[in-house]
Structure formats: C-alpha cells, structure tokens
Amino acid sequence: MSDTPVEWFISDRPVAYETALAVMDRRVAAIAAGSAAELVWLLEHPPLYTAGTSAKPEDLLSPDRFPVYQAGRGGQYTYHGPGQRIAYVMLDVKRRGADVRAFVSALEGWLTDTLDAFGVRGETHPDRVGVWVSRPERGAGVEDKIAAIGIRLRRWVSLHGLALNVEPDLEHFSGIVPCGISTHGVTSLADLGRIVSMPEVDMALQTAFVRRFGEIVRIAAMPELT
C-alpha cells in the first residue's frame, strides 16, 4: 500500500505500441526521479504481437500476420488487440517492499479479484505466470489462459503490466504460441459467457486495485501523451 494516490488514466481510443513504449519510458524515468506520481494506464492496442526477453523464434507461427515488436519485458510472445484491456503499471516497487515475487503475486491477485466480480474463478500457478480458468467441460485438468502478465523494472519502477481478455478475437492468438505454452488454450470473458462492457471491466479493475495497492486518483489527461 502507498499513502500517495496512484494516478489512473484510461485512453478512449487504441494506442500505437511505439507510443505506449515511449510514454512509459518518460513516466518511469520521472517516477524514479521523484518528479511524477505512480501511474496505471488502461488502454487497447491495434492488433499486434510482442516478444518478451525469453521469446523463442519458433513460437512466432505467423510472422507476417501482424506487426511484431520487441517489448523489453519479461516473458515470451503475446498478442494484443481490440477487446483486450491492457493495464500498464508504473509503480515504485522499492517503496512498496522491494519484493519482485510479491509484486507479481499482487498483480495476479488484482486480476483474480477482478474476475471474481464477474463470477469467474481465476487460478494462478507457481510454474507459469498469468491467470488461468479451468475448463472441466473439455476434460480433466484442461485450462485456458485469460490474462497475461509481463513486467520489467527500471530503477525499481515497473514497466508494462497485464493484459485481460475481455472480448478479443481469440483466433488471432493462433499466430503465436502464447507465452510459450502450447499445452493450454486461451479464453476471454466473452468466451466464458460473460458479456460485459469495457467500462464495467475498468470499474472492477479499479475496485480490485485499490484493495491490493491503495487509493487512486483519476486524471483527465497525461502530459506524456501531449
């Protein structure tokens, strides 16, 4: 928890990936320097693939399908696109305990709390980062991934964050081996029969974030975007 509210900004239109990386770089540098507040930025991207620092070339199955970006975060390949809520999380991890494992666990808890609001039980596993949903109707032990997490720390401030599948085109994930795991599928709230709007998801994310990380203050604009 932090005594200082975290700024909370929601983009109302898709944001180019290069723009998002540049904005994060500027804000994280300012947070590390003590000249800007922590920030959570909610947005959507146009369709694209990103490669984390552990990405394997053979896991990019359709290299010409969408633009592919080197993300600089941990993890492997993932897809971003419309209908998926991205939350870029720029928090001072050192001030919040300097425990990276606990920080990632808190991000996972933030997601499972959010899913609880829609009657979905999200599950986490120590051997694979992210949030999963059991699919017993397809067989014992079958799970699909509903949210991905990938972060990086710079001077103890986090970059990147998480991606929650609300209602994306799940077929777009077929161009990669998502997060390097081929033994499980991918799902979304819509795929699970939860038809909810993005503002409803945003409110659930906000409520769950406050419970895990502390108070927020909504901002109407981000200087880094102007």
Side-chain angles (χ1 to χ4, degrees):
M1 290 285 188
S2 172
D3 294 333
T4 305
V6 175
E7 291 189 344
W8 188 274
F9 181 69
I10 302 174
S11 287
D12 59 4
R13 64 191 66 184
V15 178
Y17 195 70
E18 305 98 315
T19 300
L21 291 181
V23 167
M24 278 193 288
D25 282 344
R26 291 194 291 272
R27 174 55 74 102
V28 165
I31 294 170
S35 59
E38 296 174 301
L39 173 70
V40 171
W41 181 17
L42 304 185
L43 58 99
E44 292 175 86
H45 283 308
L48 58 93
Y49 296 129
T50 66
T53 54
S54 302
K56 301 174 183 176
E58 61 268 26
D59 286 345
L60 181 59
L61 306 178
S62 302
D64 300 322
R65 188 172 191 176
F66 298 126
V68 181
Y69 296 94
Q70 299 297 317
R73 53 157 174 79
Q76 302 186 43
Y77 281 106
T78 192
Y79 165 76
H80 294 319
Q84 183 187 68
R85 178 49 93 208
I86 306 294
Y88 286 134
V89 183
M90 287 154 269
L91 299 180
D92 187 336
V93 177
K94 186 174 184 179
R95 187 160 61 89
R96 292 171 176 271
D99 186 329
V100 178
R101 187 179 298 274
F103 180 66
V104 172
S105 179
L107 293 177
E108 290 178 329
W110 176 23
L111 282 166
T112 57
D113 289 352
T114 299
L115 292 171
D116 281 344
F118 303 108
V120 174
R121 181 184 176 188
E123 300 178 355
T124 61
H125 301 280
D127 59 333
R128 39 191 162 101
V129 175
V131 178
W132 307 77
V133 177
S134 294
R135 307 301 299 270
E137 70 277 10
R138 298 216 309 267
V142 176
E143 291 182 312
D144 287 341
K145 194 168 193 177
I146 194 168
I149 296 174
I151 66 165
R152 178 182 178 185
L153 296 185
R154 184 180 299 157
R155 295 175 62 187
W156 280 104
V157 179
S158 62
L159 298 90
H160 302 281
L162 55 88
L164 174 60
N165 296 331
V166 180
E167 195 175 6
D169 186 337
L170 295 179
E171 200 278 329
H172 290 173
F173 285 89
S174 67
I176 57 172
V177 178
C179 301
I181 300 173
S182 59
T183 53
H184 298 283
V186 180
T187 190
S188 67
L189 286 170
D191 184 50
L192 296 171
R194 273 65 169 186
I195 308 303
V196 298
S197 68
M198 200 64 81
E200 288 175 306
V201 171
D202 292 344
M203 184 54 64
L205 282 165
Q206 178 180 318
T207 300
F209 181 89
V210 170
R211 188 181 306 126
R212 294 270 177 175
F213 294 96
E215 293 299 320
I216 65 100
V217 57
R218 285 180 174 251
I219 58 174
M222 282 173 52
E224 294 88 353
L225 273 174
T226 59

